[in-house]
């Protein structure tokens, strides 16, 4: 090895053919070796992207004067690099992108606090990224997929737009400090036993959660879009402070151990409500405040009781089918047809062996949310919701002119 100083001095002078000096304003700054990295780390700020070539490695240290990369830090398709670190970098304006970096086992960024986004995929050797305290506090989006990480504790972000945590087979605990999430969260196919906690989450636009063993959102007050839980292993779902699901759906499908859904303050769901194939759920009695549903209701399962005491307005249809006897519940529910349920109660039936076989979603409320079941009978989209509102107003007469 040459001494770093010599190499960078030589490189800076451009004295060796094939070695060009790196400039802090290069677009991009390309790193082929530790010598390049040392030079780049002498910049306080890198104006554009910093890209590690596929041949850079095995150990790259970007520590020095470098505090900010205004563009992205990009490592892609590099099977050589084993460790990447910087003891000085504080900000990455663009993406912190690590894609298909299969030998990377050590990632140490103790001063990094703000990044535009985290985009980490296919990191088959990375177990535990090391950040400082408080770690990364700002990122607009976070994708961690197909990695070996067992721990994401260094992410302490409060407000994020998107979060996608999938196929991290060793990630058995995901505890995040987020307070708000403004577009979509997907969490699926991580460690079979994953426990998930979002103690500070107050509102979230959409979330889709699968294959999770425990789930906790004690502070959640509102879901702006949809909330879906498929194939999870939790036994209870509690959201004590959740009052509204604004424009989308609420759905629990094929959660085989679920015995209790308790959302006692939930008053409205903008889209559809689907509860299907949760075979241990024997009573649906935790939706005591639910009054308004903007789409359809579909409840199929092995329950013997369905209580929806506050239900006041369902724009779509409603369907209740169980493997057990639900005669008593049906007596009350059938009365909702045509009045409370603007569509109608299309089916309320017990002792149906195949009750758990149909898991398609009830009609949702949002156009283009991608959950379309193509089931025109049970589906009531928002479009048809507003149509039926128009027809209702038309029937009342006189008011139409005001609206057209
Ligand atoms: C991943 O990177 C390796 C080099 O380490 C490369 O051979 C392979 O083609 C890359 N895979 C993809 C899907 O790009
Ligand atoms: C979601 O709802 C909350 C509470 O009603 C509101 O404060 C927030 O601005 C909404 N967010 C979005 C992205 O609509
Ligand atoms: C799941 O977690 C429980 C304790 O929470 C543990 O006993 C069990 O071995 C775990 N199973 C797997 C597959 O990790
Ligand atoms: C994980 O969840 C998906 C549904 O999103 C399901 O298809 C898959 O079977 C589940 N995997 C396991 C191991 O539970
Ligand atoms: C739930 O709401 C109640 C009443 O608004 C509040 O006192 C309580 O602190 C909330 N719980 C959480 C965990 O935010
Ligand atoms: C999330 O929900 C919002 C409503 O708050 C909706 O407009 C948006 O399209 C949804 N995004 C996704 C990815 O579903
Ligand atoms: C469901 O959980 C809630 C809140 O913990 C509790 O009050 C209720 O009794 C539970 N219901 C069942 C059927 O276990
Ligand atoms: C449920 O569906 C499966 C697969 O289509 C079928 O084999 C089974 O007989 C069905 N069960 C009932 C009770 O209809
Ligand atoms: C119902 O849930 C069980 C257990 O999660 C699953 O194996 C089965 O495939 C589900 N049935 C349907 C029709 O999705």
């Amino acid at each position: 090895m040459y001494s770093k100083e010599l190499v960078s001095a030589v490189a800076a002078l451009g004295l060796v053919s094939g070695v060009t000096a790196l400039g802090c304003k290069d677009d991009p700054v390309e790193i082929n070796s530790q010598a390049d990295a040392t030079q780049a780390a002498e910049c306080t700020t890198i104006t554009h992207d910093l890209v590690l070539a596929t041949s850079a490695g095995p150990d790259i240290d970007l520590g020095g004067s470098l505090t900010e990369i205004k563009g992205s830090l990009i490592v892609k398709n590099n099977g050589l690099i084993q460790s990447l670190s910087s003891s000085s970098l504080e900000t990455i304006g663009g993406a912190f992108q690590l894609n298909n970096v299969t030998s990377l086992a050590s990632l140490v960024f103790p001063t990094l606090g703000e990044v535009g986004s985290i985009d980490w995929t296919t990191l088959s050797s990375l177990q535990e990224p090391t950040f400082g305290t408080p770690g990364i506090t700002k990122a607009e989006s976070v994708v961690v997929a197909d990695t070996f990480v067992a721990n994401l504790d260094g992410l302490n972000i409060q407000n994020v737009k998107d979060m996608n945590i999938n196929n991290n087979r060793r990630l058995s605990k995901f505890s995040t400090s987020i307070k708000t999430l403004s577009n979509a969260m997907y969490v699926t196919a991580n460690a079979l036993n994953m426990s998930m906690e979002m103690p500070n989450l107050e509102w979230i636009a959409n979330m889709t959660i699968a294959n999770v063993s425990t789930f906790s959102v004690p502070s959640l007050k509102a879901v702006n879009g949809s909330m879906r839980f498929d194939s999870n292993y939790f036994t209870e779902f509690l959201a004590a402070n959740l009052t509204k699901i604004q424009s989308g759906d609420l759905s629990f499908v094929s959660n085989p151990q679920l015995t209790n859904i308790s959302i006692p303050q939930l008053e409205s769901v903008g889209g559809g409500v689907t509860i299907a194939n949760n075979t241990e759920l024997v009573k649906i009695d935790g939706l005591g405040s639910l009054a308004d549903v903007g789409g359809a209701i579909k409840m199929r399962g092995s329950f013997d009781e369905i209580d929806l005491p506050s239900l006041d307005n369902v724009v779509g249809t409603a369907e209740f089918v169980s493997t057990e006897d639900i005669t008593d519940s049906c007596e009350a529910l059938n009365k909702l047809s045509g009045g409370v349920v603007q569509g109608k109660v299309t089916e309320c039936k017990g002792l149906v062996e195949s009750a758990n076989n149909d898991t398609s979603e009830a009609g949702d409320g949002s156009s283009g949310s991608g959950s379309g079941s193509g089931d025109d009978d049970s589906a009531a989209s928002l479009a048809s919701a507003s149509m039926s509102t128009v027809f209702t107003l038309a029937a009342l007469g006189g008011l139409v002119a005001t609206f057209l």
Side-chain angles (χ1 to χ4, degrees):
M1 285 307 252
Y2 304 106
S3 84
K4 289 177 184 176
E5 291 74 18
L6 177 63
V7 173
S8 49
V10 168
L13 293 169
L15 292 178
V16 176
S17 68
V19 178
T20 349
L22 292 178
C24 304
K25 294 185 175 166
D26 287 1
D27 185 10
V29 170
E30 188 175 302
I31 306 282
N32 287 286
S33 61
Q34 177 55 42
D36 290 350
T38 303
Q39 233 189 305
E42 281 165 14
C43 303
T44 322
T45 300
I46 285 178
T47 316
H48 301 284
D49 295 345
L50 185 148
V51 178
L52 265 67
T54 53
S55 58
D59 303 305
I60 297 290
D61 181 3
L62 291 165
S65 307
L66 182 63
T67 56
E68 180 179 13
I69 297 172
K70 286 191 190 278
S72 297
L73 169 53
I74 300 172
V75 191
K76 271 203 235 180
N77 301 328
N78 180 324
L80 195 62
I81 191 167
Q82 294 171 10
S83 80
L84 177 62
S85 61
S86 174
S87 55
S88 58
L89 187 63
E90 293 168 5
T91 307
I92 299 172
F96 187 174
Q97 189 177 4
L98 304 172
N99 299 157
N100 185 23
V101 188
T102 48
S103 301
L104 185 69
S106 164
L107 189 69
V108 181
F109 283 80
T111 51
L112 188 61
E114 297 190 8
V115 303
S117 64
I118 287 176
D119 175 4
W120 295 350
T121 58
T122 315
L123 307 177
S124 7
S125 304
L126 185 64
Q127 292 195 34
E128 192 164 350
T130 304
F131 298 110
T133 306
I136 296 183
T137 55
K138 220 172 153 187
E140 186 164 290
S141 85
V142 176
V143 175
V144 180
D146 188 21
T147 77
F148 200 56
V149 295
N151 185 322
L152 287 172
D153 289 353
L155 303 183
N156 283 306
I157 304 160
Q158 299 212 328
N159 308 300
V160 63
K161 188 160 166 253
D162 290 289
M163 191 173 263
N164 190 337
I165 310 289
N166 74 78
N167 288 284
N168 303 292
R169 301 301 170 135
R170 280 169 41 93
L171 188 62
S172 58
K173 180 161 193 221
F174 181 50
S175 177
T176 164
S177 55
I178 60 165
K179 270 191 169 161
T180 72
L181 187 144
S182 62
N183 190 44
M185 166 180 268
Y186 292 92
V187 175
T188 175
N190 296 295
L192 268 186
N193 240 1
M194 188 168 93
S195 68
M196 184 167 173
E197 287 169 9
M198 298 193 275
N200 304 327
L201 184 66
E202 288 176 7
W203 59 259
I204 186 163
N206 307 282
M207 66 176 141
T208 300
I209 309 289
N211 318 118
V212 160
S213 289
T214 68
F215 184 82
S216 143
V217 281
S219 312
L220 184 63
K221 292 183 177 61
V223 174
N224 311 77
S226 294
M227 175 160 100
R228 295 195 161 81
F229 297 90
D230 295 342
S231 304
N232 292 287
Y233 306 106
F234 42 67
T235 54
E236 295 190 308
F237 179 87
L238 311 176
N241 279 352
L242 178 59
T243 57
K244 60 184 174 187
I245 295 175
Q246 259 165 329
S247 64
D249 306 329
L250 170 64
S251 133
F252 291 91
V253 173
S254 302
N255 301 285
Q257 297 172 30
L258 185 59
T259 59
N260 189 355
I261 296 174
S262 174
I263 320 179
Q265 300 202 54
L266 181 65
E267 289 168 7
S268 64
V269 176
V273 175
T274 305
I275 297 181
N277 192 32
N278 306 290
T279 48
E280 294 298 312
L281 186 66
V282 298
K283 282 191 185 4
I284 297 180
D285 61 354
L287 299 172
S289 305
L290 184 60
D292 291 304
V293 176
I297 295 183
K298 175 166 179 168
M299 296 185 178
R300 302 182 66 104
S302 299
F303 32 76
D304 54 28
E305 190 182 321
I306 305 165
D307 297 321
L308 296 168
S310 305
L311 203 58
D312 185 42
N313 184 26
V314 179
V315 174
T317 54
E319 171 187 337
F320 307 93
V321 180
S322 178
T323 56
E324 309 307 303
D325 186 353
I326 49 170
T327 314
D328 291 349
S329 298
C330 283
E331 244 171 64
L333 293 165
N334 276 323
K335 288 188 190 139
L336 305 176
S337 240
V340 165
V341 179
Q342 293 184 33
K344 60 178 177 181
V345 177
T346 53
E347 198 174 8
C348 192
K349 213 180 201 177
L351 303 172
V352 175
E353 259 184 74
S354 63
N356 286 303
N357 264 15
D358 176 356
T359 53
S360 64
E361 290 212 12
D364 69 345
S366 56
S367 48
S369 79
S371 75
S373 62
D375 182 351
D376 289 335
D377 281 347
S378 66
S381 66
L382 248 203
S384 58
S386 27
M387 280 310 282
S388 65
T389 309
V390 170
F391 288 136
T392 311
L393 292 170
L396 289 172
L399 286 170
V400 179
T402 336
F403 281 81
L404 295 180

